[in-house]
Amino acid sequence: MTSHRFSAQGPLTGRIRVPGDKSISHRSLMFGALAVGRSRISGLLEGEDVLATAAALRAMGAVIEKDGDDWIVDGVGVGTLLQPGQALDMGNSGTSTRLLMGLVASHGITTSFVGDESLSKRPMGRVIDPLSMMGAGFTPSPGGRLPLMMEGMQPAVPITYRLPVASAQVKSAVLLAGLNTPGTTTVIEPVPTRDHTERMLRGFGVDVQVEERDGERVISITGPCDLTPCDITVPGDPSSAAFFAVAASIVPGSDLIIENVGLNPTRNGIFEVLGQMGASIEYLDAREVGGEPVADLRVRHAPLKGVEVDPAIAPRMIDEFPVLFVAAAVADGTTVTSGLEELRVKESDRLAAMAASLSLVGADIEEREDGLVIHGSGGTALPGGGPVATHLDHRIAMSMAIAGHASRDGVEIDSAEPIATSFPNFNELLKDATS
Ligand code: S3P
C-alpha cells in the first residue's frame, strides 16, 4: 500500500466528463452475454469491478472485446452458460458477485466465488437465501461469506420474494436467476431501489412486468426468456459525479460543469439533498441516454447549511453518504443522518470509516448506530492531516481526497489504489478541474 496526499487546492472550474455508470456497465455486459448474437456497448466503465464481471462472463463462454472506444459482447444465450474452469475472482466487487450468483443459480454450473479481503467480509446470506429457495446449493465460508462454492439448479424453481433489505443487488440476483427459470419469478420491493435491471432487460426484449401494489413495487418476469442483442450507451455515473459536485460546492470560487450525468430518479438523491443544503446545481441540456435521464450539471460554490436527511431518501443515494458527510463537515450547522445501517456492510463499514477519517482531519462528528451527526465548521476549511484508513473502500478514498482538496493543510490517505475499482481517472479529472 502506498499512501497518497491530497493537498489543499483552488477552485474547480471548466468542464469534466465522468466515466460510465458502474451499475449499468455491469448489467450491460451480463445481459449482452445472455443474448444470442452481438451487443455493442459505448461508454462502458473500465474500472476493476466491471472488468471482474467481464472476466467471469468470459469464463462462462461469452466473448467480450474492446473495439475502439466501444466494447462488443458476443453472447451465449440464456441456459447455455458454460462451466468455468476455475474460481470466479470477484476482486472488490459486491455487484459482480451477487448478480453473477443469480445467473449461476439457474444454470447447471458448479463454481466457486472468491474476492479480496473487503469482499470476503461482506454478507452473502441475503442472496443465498432466495437463491436456495430456487434450488441452488451453497457452501459458504462462516457467516455466509466468500469464498463460497455454489451449485446451480437447472431447471430452477420460480419464487415470489419480498426483499428483507432495500437492495438492488438482491432484487437483480433473483430476477437474473428467473431468466432461466420456467414460470414466473416475482420480487416485491417495499422500498424502491435502483431500477437499471428492469429498464435494461426491457431493452434486451424481456417482458418485465412492474406494478404498484399497496405501496410496494411488484416486479415479475416469466422464464425462460430470450434476450435480443442490442446497442447500449452507458450514461455517466452519478455516484462518481457526486464527488465533484461536493468539491465544487465547498471550494470557494468553483464553477464546474460535469457533463453527461445519469439522473435516474432511483439514483439522484444526493443532488436533491445538496440542493436542500443550499448547493447551486443547474441541470443543463436534460436528455435521454440509453433509456436513462441525463443532464450536464453546473455546480458553483455556495455556502451550505446543515440539514436533517430524510431516511426515506437513503436507497436513492446509498453510495453517496460518504461524500455527503464531507459536505456536511464544512456546512453551517448540524446535519443529522439516520436509517443507514446498510452502510455498515458496504466495501467497508462506511459509518465507522467516515466518522474516524473525518474526525482525524478535524471535523466534529458523532457516530450513532444508524447514522452520523455532523456539526459543520460553518464554511471554515478543515485543518487536514492523516493518514486516514480507507479499508480497501474506493468511496472512502475519494471522499477523503475531496476533504483534502478542500482542507487547510491537505489529507493523506493510506492508499489511493481502491479508487481504480470504480473511477480510474479520478485523480486526473481532479487535476484537470483545478488547473
Ligand atoms: C448496486 C446496488 C447497491 C450499491 C452498489 C451497486 C447495484 O448495493 O451500493 O454500489 O448495481 O445494484 P445494494 O443492493 O447492496 O444496496
Side-chain angles (χ1 to χ4, degrees), residues 51 55 58 66 76 83 94 108-109 137 170 173 177 193 229 234 285 287 289 307 318 320 334 368 413:
L51 298 178
R58 283 192 195 104
K66 197 158 180 190
V76 283
Q83 167 83 39
I109 288 176
V170 179
T193 64
V234 180
D285 190 17
R287 56 203 185 269
V289 172
V307 290
I318 195 67
E320 286 66 72
T334 297
R368 294 185 177 163
I413 64 174

Side-chain angles (χ1 to χ4, degrees), residues 177-329:
L179 290 174
N180 194 38
T181 301
T184 301
T185 296
T186 301
V187 178
I188 302 170
E189 271 196 322
V191 183
T193 64
R194 64 190 70 194
D195 63 354
H196 307 302
T197 295
E198 298 92 304
R199 283 176 189 247
M200 199 184 288
L201 276 178
R202 285 200 179 119
F204 277 85
V206 175
D207 181 17
V208 183
Q209 298 287 335
V210 181
E211 45 177 288
E212 280 283 316
R213 231 185 268 159
D214 303 328
E216 300 185 318
R217 278 180 89 235
V218 181
I219 308 142
S220 302
I221 56 167
T222 299
C225 303
D226 286 327
L227 272 68
T228 316
C230 67
D231 292 351
I232 298 158
T233 305
V234 180
D237 198 324
S239 300
S240 299
F243 297 107
F244 284 88
V246 167
S249 295
I250 65 178
V251 178
S254 296
D255 183 354
L256 181 70
I257 292 182
I258 313 169
E259 295 176 349
N260 190 40
V261 181
L263 291 172
N264 180 308
T266 60
R267 297 282 302 281
N268 62 0
I270 179 66
F271 305 117
E272 221 169 281
V273 172
L274 286 173
Q276 290 162 9
M277 295 174 81
S280 163
I281 304 180
E282 265 179 83
Y283 297 83
L284 309 175
D285 190 17
R287 56 203 185 269
E288 204 167 275
V289 172
E292 299 272 348
V294 161
D296 300 333
L297 304 189
R298 180 177 183 192
V299 186
R300 279 178 276 188
H301 169 256
L304 301 183
K305 58 180 192 303
V307 290
E308 185 154 342
V309 180
D310 180 356
I313 205 170
R316 293 175 49 214
M317 54 176 291
I318 195 67
D319 292 334
E320 286 66 72
F321 280 97
V323 77
L324 176 74
F325 298 147
V326 174

Side-chain angles (χ1 to χ4, degrees), residues 344-361:
R344 296 206 181 270
V345 291
K346 294 291 180 190
E347 284 84 331
S348 68
D349 175 343
R350 287 181 174 163
L351 293 180
M354 286 307 295
S357 300
L358 281 173
S359 301
L360 190 64
V361 302

Side-chain angles (χ1 to χ4, degrees), residues 124-134 157-175 177-178 184-191 213 216-221:
M124 295 299 152
R126 53 181 63 197
V127 281
I128 293 175
D129 289 347
L131 298 177
S132 301
M133 289 159 66
M134 297 180 81
V157 184
I159 58 169
T160 294
Y161 192 68
R162 175 179 274 99
L163 294 181
V165 274
S167 166
Q169 292 179 354
V170 179
K171 166 176 69 177
S172 302
V174 175
L175 292 174
T184 301
T185 296
T186 301
V187 178
I188 302 170
E189 271 196 322
V191 183
R213 231 185 268 159
E216 300 185 318
R217 278 180 89 235
V218 181
I219 308 142
S220 302
I221 56 167

